[in-house]
């Protein structure tokens, strides 16, 4: 029963755009034995040059040897921490072999790295694939083999020899993945699946139309990445793994969106820590996302425009006042050239979720005074419940498009009450009383805290367990804001120069 904004409907493309990532540069300030070795290479090269025998093969050998010695002798670290888990395991990337072009960083399918994705239960709609090449006597890649973990679960694993055709044909490789993992085919109610790096960088989707050259580069990217994550619903979801699991991610390093999407520069290096609060439904908390002064700014901008909130009424609720369920005040803030803070947060949200900014709604700001609340509800739109609302059905394309995730920011501390409650935490049954705040997972509002809860499963289907509500405020005032992020491009946010 989420509030539906009035906005023109823009037909979304069946393909979204690949994210872009910075590759970490070697640390030139590190000391070690590499400096002396590099000096010797210069002297040798000078002798070869004087003799007229410095040929291209020698140049290539010299460069590769220098790079290898730099990595092994302290000139650079060949692995970089990406994610850290609660028990100390880390996801490492082979940055030493990173390409200077657009190929992704290699993430080996080691036990340590797999531990950052393998779940203790079935994670419906997300899969791990580990690619490797079948080499001939000359070490040339002549075929493609992959191992998979279906639904990120150890019991559902297998190996597939995709053969030589998959090495050169993306369509052949996609068909092999569809067959081995039983991937759903795109359709009127199904978004196309997509392949991502473990960092959430989109590599290719089921319906992407690529040139022959781009196909070759995409296959090379998959092989180079080694570990690849498949999301059946086509949008990235941070794998929960288990309650208490934490990972640290880079913000701004990956900015999903169409060609030309602005990337964060050196001045925007930033990390955030994600901790799993719940697996059913998938709820994570985020530290390091929003600053206290940004919380204050949003309150100041929204204050003069706050009005009592409305809701999108289901067929069965036509004619009832919104206050039957929701008594808070709210407004929407639209990012423009005059509100750079809002635009910056939208960019940050895109990087956090690894879902393009074009998929976001405007920022909704909420104010809950004494005793004000919002009874348990879903943020997605169930098409079966809006059959008498043609505008809603058009907006969601009868269910193919929907809200994928809710990014929720707490803008103030609350002395008592005001928790966000998830009554179906752990797979609990549907509650009889949607006003009850005594059962389930309760997240206390604290200024600067952020949570993400996923309204859709990774396969793109609605997650009924994502039922949630805002508990009555007992002491204080609760300010909050949220971004609804869709599984397709929408026409809410505009380009900002």
């Amino acid at each position: 029963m989420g509030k539906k904004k009035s906005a023109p409907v823009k037909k979304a493309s069946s393909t979204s755009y690949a994210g872009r990532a910075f590759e970490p540069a070697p640390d030139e300030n590190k000391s070690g034995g590499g400096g002396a070795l590099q000096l010797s290479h210069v002297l040798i090269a000078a002798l070869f040059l004087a003799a007229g025998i410095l040929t291209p093969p020698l140049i290539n050998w010299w460069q590769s040897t220098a790079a290898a010695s730099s990595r092994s002798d302290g000139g650079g670290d060949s692995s970089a921490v990406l994610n850290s888990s609660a028990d100390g395991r880390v996801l490492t990337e082979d940055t030493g072999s990173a390409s200077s072009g657009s190929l992704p960083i290699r993430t080996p399918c080691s036990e340590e790295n797999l531990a950052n994705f393998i779940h203790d239960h079935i994670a419906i709609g997300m899969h791990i694939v580990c690619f490797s090449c079948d080499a001939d006597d000359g070490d040339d890649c002549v075929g493609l083999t992959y191992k998979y973990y279906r639904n990120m679960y150890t019991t559902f694993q297998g190996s597939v020899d995709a053969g030589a055709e998959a090495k050169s044909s993306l369509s052949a490789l996609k068909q092999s993945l569809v067959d081995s993992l039983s991937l759903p085919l795109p359709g009127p109610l199904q978004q196309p699946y997509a392949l991502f790096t473990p960092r959430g960088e989109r590599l290719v989707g089921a319906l992407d139309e690529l040139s022959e050259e781009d196909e070759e580069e995409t296959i090379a990217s998959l092989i180079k990445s080694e570990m690849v994550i498949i999301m059946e619903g086509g949008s990235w979801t941070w794998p929960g793994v288990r309650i208490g699991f934490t990972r640290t991610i880079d913000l701004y390093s990956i900015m999903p969106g169409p060609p030309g999407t602005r990337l964060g520069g050196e001045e925007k290096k930033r990390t955030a820590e994600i901790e799993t609060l719940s697996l059913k439904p998938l709820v994570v908390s985020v530290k390091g996302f929003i600053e206290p002064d940004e919380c204050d700014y949003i309150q100041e901008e929204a204050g003069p425009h706050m009005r009592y909130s409305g809701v999108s009424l289901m067929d069965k609720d036509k004619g009832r006042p919104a206050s039957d369920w929701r008594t808070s005040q709210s407004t929407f803030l639209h990012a423009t050239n005059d509100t750079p803070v809002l635009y910056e947060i939208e960019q940050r949200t895109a990087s956090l979720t690894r879902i393009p900014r074009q998929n976001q709604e405007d920022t909704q700001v909420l104010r809950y005074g004494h005793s004000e609340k919002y009874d348990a509800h879903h943020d997605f739109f169930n098409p079966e419940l809006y059959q008498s609302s043609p505008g809603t059905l058009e907006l969601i394309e009868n269910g193919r498009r929907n809200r994928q995730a809710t990014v929720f920011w707490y803008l103030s501390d609350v002395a008592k009450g005001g928790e966000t409650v998830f009554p179906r935490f752990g797979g609990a049954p549907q509650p009889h009383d949607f006003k009850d705040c005594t059962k389930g997972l309760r997240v206390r509002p604290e200024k600067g805290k952020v949570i993400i809860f996923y309204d859709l499963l990774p396969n793109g289907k609605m997650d009924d367990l994502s039922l949630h509500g805002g508990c009555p405020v007992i002491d204080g005032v609760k300010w909050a804001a949220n971004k609804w992020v869709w599984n397709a491009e929408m026409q809410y946010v505009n380009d900002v120069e």
Side-chain angles (χ1 to χ4, degrees):
M1 197 192 303
K3 170 68 175 174
K4 182 175 90 268
K5 286 185 58 192
S6 297
V9 178
K10 181 167 96 175
K11 296 300 180 182
S13 166
S14 60
T15 58
S16 53
Y17 300 90
R20 292 163 180 76
F22 289 127
E23 294 188 358
D27 188 348
E28 298 175 353
N29 297 319
K30 286 191 177 181
S31 60
L37 187 57
Q38 290 171 8
L39 179 59
S40 68
H41 287 154
V42 173
L43 295 175
I44 293 171
L47 291 174
F48 281 151
L49 182 61
I53 57 174
L54 188 56
T55 61
L58 269 175
I59 295 173
N60 291 337
W61 168 82
W62 173 39
Q63 290 174 335
S64 62
T65 305
S69 64
S70 174
R71 291 194 298 269
S72 61
D73 294 338
D77 189 354
S78 63
S79 64
V81 174
L82 173 65
N83 300 334
S84 57
S85 63
D87 52 7
R89 285 196 289 265
V90 297
L91 178 63
T92 57
E93 298 170 325
D94 185 2
T95 61
S97 59
S99 166
S100 60
S102 60
L103 294 181
I105 298 170
R106 174 176 175 265
T107 303
C109 281
S110 61
E111 288 187 13
E112 291 80 7
N113 286 341
L114 287 170
N116 288 273
F117 296 92
I118 295 292
H119 289 54
D120 296 332
H121 72 289
I122 295 173
I124 297 174
M126 61 173 83
H127 317 284
I128 304 170
V129 177
C130 301
F131 287 104
S132 60
C133 260
D134 300 325
D136 60 13
D137 294 338
D139 290 332
D140 291 326
C141 184
V142 295
L144 198 58
T145 301
Y146 59 86
K147 183 176 182 179
Y148 64 83
Y149 297 85
R150 190 177 177 209
N151 293 319
M152 293 192 173
Y153 194 57
T154 53
T155 303
F156 304 132
Q157 60 177 289
S159 297
V160 176
D161 184 354
E165 187 180 6
K167 169 63 177 62
S168 57
S169 169
L170 188 58
S171 60
L173 176 56
K174 289 178 181 178
Q175 188 59 54
S176 177
L177 292 170
V178 167
D179 293 341
S180 59
L181 292 167
S182 301
L183 300 178
L185 296 177
L189 299 179
Q190 177 66 47
Q191 293 284 348
Y193 65 83
L195 282 66
F196 299 82
T197 70
R199 290 157 48 92
E201 178 185 5
R202 189 181 185 279
L203 294 171
V204 68
L207 296 184
D208 288 8
E209 296 182 2
L210 305 177
S211 66
E212 184 176 342
E213 180 181 353
D214 288 340
E215 276 207 16
E216 291 176 358
E217 183 176 347
T218 298
I219 294 175
S221 294
L222 296 174
I223 297 172
K224 179 64 178 14
S225 182
E226 185 172 332
M227 182 188 290
V228 171
I229 308 299
I230 299 180
M231 296 290 174
E232 290 186 2
S235 294
W236 180 257
T237 296
W238 283 111
V241 183
R242 61 184 173 275
I243 294 177
F245 177 84
T246 64
R247 67 176 82 236
T248 300
I249 68 165
D250 289 329
L251 295 178
Y252 298 110
S253 64
I254 293 178
M255 292 299 298
T261 298
R262 180 171 64 83
L263 296 174
E266 289 295 319
E267 74 282 2
K268 290 188 177 179
K269 285 187 175 179
R270 184 172 183 153
T271 61
E273 183 182 89
I274 300 176
E275 179 181 358
T276 302
L277 302 181
S278 168
L279 293 171
K280 296 181 179 181
L282 182 53
V283 183
V284 300
S285 67
V286 184
K287 294 180 181 178
F289 178 82
I290 193 168
E291 300 296 332
D293 59 337
E294 293 173 329
C295 295
D296 296 338
Y297 171 83
I298 293 172
Q299 293 181 49
E300 293 169 4
E301 284 290 307
H305 310 289
M306 301 300 286
R307 301 290 184 272
Y308 280 101
S309 308
V311 298
S312 295
L313 293 174
M314 301 177 189
D315 296 344
K316 64 182 181 64
D317 298 320
K318 295 290 186 182
R320 294 178 61 183
S323 58
D324 282 0
W325 306 274
R326 187 180 191 185
T327 56
S328 62
Q329 297 181 48
S330 64
T331 192
F332 284 89
L333 296 180
H334 185 71
T336 67
N337 291 324
D338 297 327
T339 56
V341 173
L342 292 177
Y343 177 70
E344 187 66 28
I345 293 176
E346 289 182 350
Q347 291 285 77
R348 205 180 303 156
T349 299
S351 183
L352 171 66
T353 60
R354 304 314 202 221
I355 299 174
R357 174 177 173 268
Q358 290 76 10
N359 293 31
Q360 298 176 19
E361 293 185 40
D362 286 329
T363 301
Q364 180 184 222
V365 185
L366 305 160
R367 182 188 183 279
Y368 292 80
H370 177 71
S371 77
E372 292 182 336
K373 48 82 179 180
Y374 192 176
D375 296 343
H377 60 283
H378 292 109
D379 282 353
F380 60 69
F381 297 96
N382 185 340
E384 294 181 0
L385 304 179
Y386 292 92
Q387 290 300 304
S388 64
S389 178
T392 300
L393 293 177
E394 182 182 6
L395 178 73
I396 65 174
E397 293 183 348
N398 295 307
R400 188 173 189 269
R401 301 196 307 190
N402 224 320
R403 288 170 174 164
Q404 167 86 13
T406 301
V407 184
F408 198 89
W409 324 318
Y410 297 95
L411 305 179
S412 67
D413 294 316
V414 178
K416 190 175 183 181
E419 299 91 348
T420 303
V421 64
F422 297 87
R424 301 200 63 184
F425 170 65
Q430 185 91 333
H432 295 293
D433 182 3
F434 280 29
K435 300 179 185 294
D436 186 4
C437 274
T438 64
K439 301 180 180 66
L441 172 69
R442 291 190 296 175
V443 181
R444 181 179 177 180
E446 297 174 0
K447 187 174 183 177
K449 178 188 288 185
V450 175
I451 62 172
I452 304 173
F453 51 93
Y454 287 90
D455 309 302
L456 303 183
L457 296 167
N459 63 3
K461 307 301 182 187
M462 297 174 293
D463 186 2
D464 289 331
L465 299 182
S466 67
L467 187 75
H468 62 282
C471 298
V473 171
I474 299 173
D475 184 5
V477 176
K478 172 184 172 183
W479 281 89
N482 72 274
K483 271 286 186 183
W484 280 309
V485 182
W486 288 62
N487 64 351
E489 182 178 345
M490 305 300 289
Q491 195 174 346
Y492 289 111
V493 299
N494 297 332
D495 293 332
V496 176
E497 296 297 331

